[in-house]
Amino acid sequence: MLRQTLYRQLAPEGWQAYGLSPVNKLVCVLILVASFVAILETEDSIRDSLPWAFNGLEVLFVALFSVEYLARLYAAGEDPRYRGWRGRARYMFTWWALVDLIAILPFFLGFITHNTFMIRLLKVCRLLRLSRLGRFSRAWSALAEALSARMYELLLSVGVAGLLLLLSSAFLYAVEAAAQPEAFGSVPRALWWSIATLTTVGYGDVTPITALGKLFAGITAVAGIGLIAMPTGILAAAFSDAFQKKDAPEE
């Protein structure tokens, strides 16, 4: 009886009513609050003024999320695929179960390292808790379906973009290396300019100064506008198709 109740409350597919169960709504609120606290903690002036509050809140969040993780592990037995100890072990290696586990691991790993960089990295990893919201989102599954359906087109567009990056870097190296060896003295150095130009970031810290260099830069910039937008169009179409399939009435 307890397992059935937990399953209905914790598993989105187990809740028959519209929207999320009350427990899952509370979990979503906790995830948002915990992520907001983790962001504030990266500011030294705020953290140093209230160290006891941040430490206490992190212990509270980890305790709540750990209880939730164990409850989900127990309730998973309602699904025939995850019954028994083998089924529970299988559940532990599912995508969302791993995300749940990763959300609480940084707290415990912090006790075994005193490296400043690792501590900062573990604090940043707490923001991965936000990814847990994807469990409750219909859009997340639609996005996964869209990526899977258009994987070939996306890989092709990424491959073409990579080829254009390499070619533009090589041309800029050939025509600009003599004039600006510190910026275009090698293909890897020129690659930074190509990435900044193709992604339309254009930091302006590296610019061609020769006539040929400017010509190739202009061609690269114009080509990059359409090329970088191509994956966006592919994803938008696939995303729309995925939602239409979900909304289509079953025959």
Side-chain angles (χ1 to χ4, degrees):
M1 189 66 181
L2 175 61
R3 194 174 71 180
Q4 292 177 353
T5 302
L6 288 175
Y7 183 78
R8 285 196 298 269
Q9 290 291 327
L10 294 173
E13 63 274 15
W15 183 251
Q16 302 301 320
Y18 179 77
L20 296 177
S21 68
V23 172
N24 277 334
K25 288 179 181 178
L26 177 60
V27 170
C28 289
V29 172
L30 286 174
I31 291 172
L32 292 174
V33 173
S35 300
F36 179 70
V37 171
I39 293 172
L40 287 181
E41 192 178 0
T42 61
E43 179 58 54
D44 292 341
S45 59
I46 298 178
R47 183 185 67 249
D48 293 341
S49 63
L50 295 167
W52 56 271
F54 284 105
N55 292 335
L57 284 173
E58 183 58 22
V59 171
L60 175 62
F61 290 139
V62 170
L64 291 174
F65 290 142
S66 298
V67 171
E68 181 213 354
Y69 175 79
L70 294 175
R72 288 187 186 277
L73 184 60
Y74 173 67
E78 286 296 305
D79 189 324
R81 296 173 296 173
Y82 307 125
R83 286 176 184 166
W85 66 271
R86 289 185 179 179
R88 295 304 203 288
R90 195 180 306 116
Y91 172 79
M92 291 175 67
F93 287 95
T94 59
W95 169 253
W96 290 120
L98 289 174
V99 171
D100 291 342
L101 185 60
I102 292 173
I104 59 178
L105 277 182
F107 175 82
F108 299 103
L109 293 177
F111 291 109
I112 61 177
T113 180
H114 299 286
N115 181 278
T116 304
F117 171 76
M118 288 302 299
I119 291 175
R120 286 201 302 268
L121 183 61
L122 290 174
K123 287 182 178 180
V124 171
C125 285
R126 294 175 187 172
L127 295 178
L128 292 175
R129 291 168 179 165
L130 282 172
S131 64
R132 298 185 60 218
L133 293 174
R135 177 200 297 273
F136 313 113
S137 174
R138 181 183 172 211
W140 183 270
S141 60
L143 177 59
E145 290 181 14
L147 288 173
S148 178
R150 300 299 176 94
M151 186 59 67
Y152 175 78
E153 292 91 336
L154 288 172
L155 289 177
L156 180 61
S157 64
V158 170
V160 174
L163 180 61
L164 182 56
L165 282 173
L166 182 60
L167 289 176
S168 63
S169 301
F171 278 120
L172 264 296
Y173 160 69
V175 300
E176 289 284 330
Q180 300 186 79
E182 71 286 348
F184 297 99
S186 67
V187 173
R189 293 183 201 176
L191 190 61
W192 165 249
W193 173 88
S194 297
I195 294 173
T197 302
L198 278 177
T199 55
T200 68
V201 176
Y203 288 112
D205 53 344
V206 178
T207 55
I209 59 175
T210 66
L212 276 176
K214 291 179 179 179
L215 175 62
F216 282 120
I219 294 173
T220 301
V222 172
I225 294 173
L227 190 63
I228 298 301
M230 186 164 47
T232 305
I234 295 172
L235 275 178
F239 203 57
S240 176
D241 291 343
F243 267 112
Q244 286 178 6
K245 288 181 181 178
K246 286 184 175 294
D247 292 335
E250 296 183 1
E251 295 181 358

